[in-house]
């Protein structure tokens, strides 16, 4: 049985993952509206991954005898007006998530909850990968002239990106 303090925080993270899934799904629609079908597909796939993250928290809580609690999800706001800004925005979002996962890890250690500590290790690696993916897209964008043909190449490239 997980301690209440830890359960509350895991449940909070479950709902943040749900928000992340909606955020990336909304971003995929934003991209499609601008004709960026490859980028749109990339973000749709990413949205599915976030939903899987949510389910991991859901199952862990449930399997540990705690009640997962789904909450109302905030409307996702996209604070970007170009592809570069959009990827930076997503990168910042992932860095924020990594910080939250790290705080959960700290809490699990301080409560001597080694089961939760072990569960969270997957997320520590996952966040490392996600930050790497968004950083690598930003690096690619900086290599091409995004205002000219670069947008076409980035769109084509992202269609095939999987983590
Ligand atoms: Fe983007 O990894 Fe979950 O939130």
């Amino acid at each position: 049985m997980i301690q209440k303090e830890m359960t509350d925080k895991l449940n909070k993270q479950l709902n943040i993952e749900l928000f992340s899934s909606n955020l990336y799904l909304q971003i995929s629609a934003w991209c499609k509206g601008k004709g960026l079908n490859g980028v749109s597909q990339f973000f749709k796939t990413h949205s599915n991954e976030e939903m899987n993250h949510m389910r991991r928290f859901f199952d862990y809580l449930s399997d540990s005898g705690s009640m997962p609690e789904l909450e109302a999800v905030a409307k996702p706001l996209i604070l970007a007006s170009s592809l570069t800004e959009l990827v930076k925005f997503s990168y910042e979002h992932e860095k924020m998530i990594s910080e939250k996962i790290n705080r959960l890890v700290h809490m699990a250690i301080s409560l001597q909850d080694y089961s939760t500590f072990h569960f969270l290790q997957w997320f520590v690696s996952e966040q490392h990968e996600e930050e790497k993916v968004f950083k690598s897209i930003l690096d690619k964008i900086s290599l091409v002239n995004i205002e000219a043909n670069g947008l076409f190449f980035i769109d084509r490239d992202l269609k095939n990106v999987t983590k």
Side-chain angles (χ1 to χ4, degrees):
M1 189 77 187
I2 314 168
Q3 295 173 58
K4 170 96 174 70
E5 203 180 341
M6 191 83 241
T7 302
D8 289 348
K9 295 287 183 193
L10 291 172
N11 209 75
K12 209 171 182 106
Q13 189 62 34
L14 177 160
N15 284 283
I16 292 171
E17 302 294 340
L18 193 55
F19 171 78
S20 296
S21 179
N22 280 3
L23 175 67
Y24 289 127
L25 193 58
Q26 188 69 67
I27 288 177
S28 81
W30 185 95
C31 294
K32 195 150 193 166
K34 297 201 178 309
L36 297 165
N37 292 339
V39 189
S40 173
Q41 186 55 51
F42 166 80
F43 277 106
K44 198 180 255 185
T45 304
H46 205 74
S47 166
N48 289 339
E49 285 185 17
E50 298 298 347
M51 190 57 82
N52 287 335
H53 296 173
M54 184 282 286
R55 287 183 200 282
R56 275 180 181 260
F57 279 99
F58 187 97
D59 289 342
Y60 179 69
L61 284 165
S62 189
D63 293 344
S64 308
S66 305
M67 178 63 73
E69 285 179 43
L70 295 164
E71 294 165 5
V73 187
K75 181 179 166 69
L77 292 176
I78 302 172
L79 302 173
S81 57
S82 67
L83 181 62
T84 310
E85 281 180 24
L86 188 73
V87 178
K88 275 187 190 158
F89 173 70
S90 305
Y91 184 40
E92 290 306 315
H93 180 76
E94 289 306 326
K95 287 201 279 189
M96 180 273 287
I97 298 292
S98 297
E99 251 184 71
K100 292 196 179 294
I101 296 291
N102 288 342
R103 273 191 230 134
L104 288 174
V105 173
H106 284 308
M107 179 179 260
I109 293 172
S110 62
L111 292 174
Q112 298 187 338
D113 180 348
Y114 299 112
S115 167
T116 300
F117 174 79
H118 180 255
F119 164 73
L120 290 169
Q121 293 315 297
W122 184 90
F123 284 94
V124 172
S125 309
E126 178 71 2
Q127 282 311 119
H128 175 78
E129 284 304 309
E130 297 207 337
E131 284 192 31
K132 197 172 87 181
V133 166
F134 283 109
K135 172 77 171 58
S136 74
I137 298 169
L138 278 177
D139 289 345
K140 272 184 201 165
I141 288 174
S142 71
L143 287 175
V144 296
N145 181 353
I146 201 74
E147 304 305 331
N149 293 342
L151 201 51
F152 171 78
F153 289 115
I154 292 287
D155 186 53
R156 199 178 58 175
D157 187 60
L158 281 188
K159 194 174 169 189
N160 304 314
V161 169
T162 48
K163 244 188 357 340

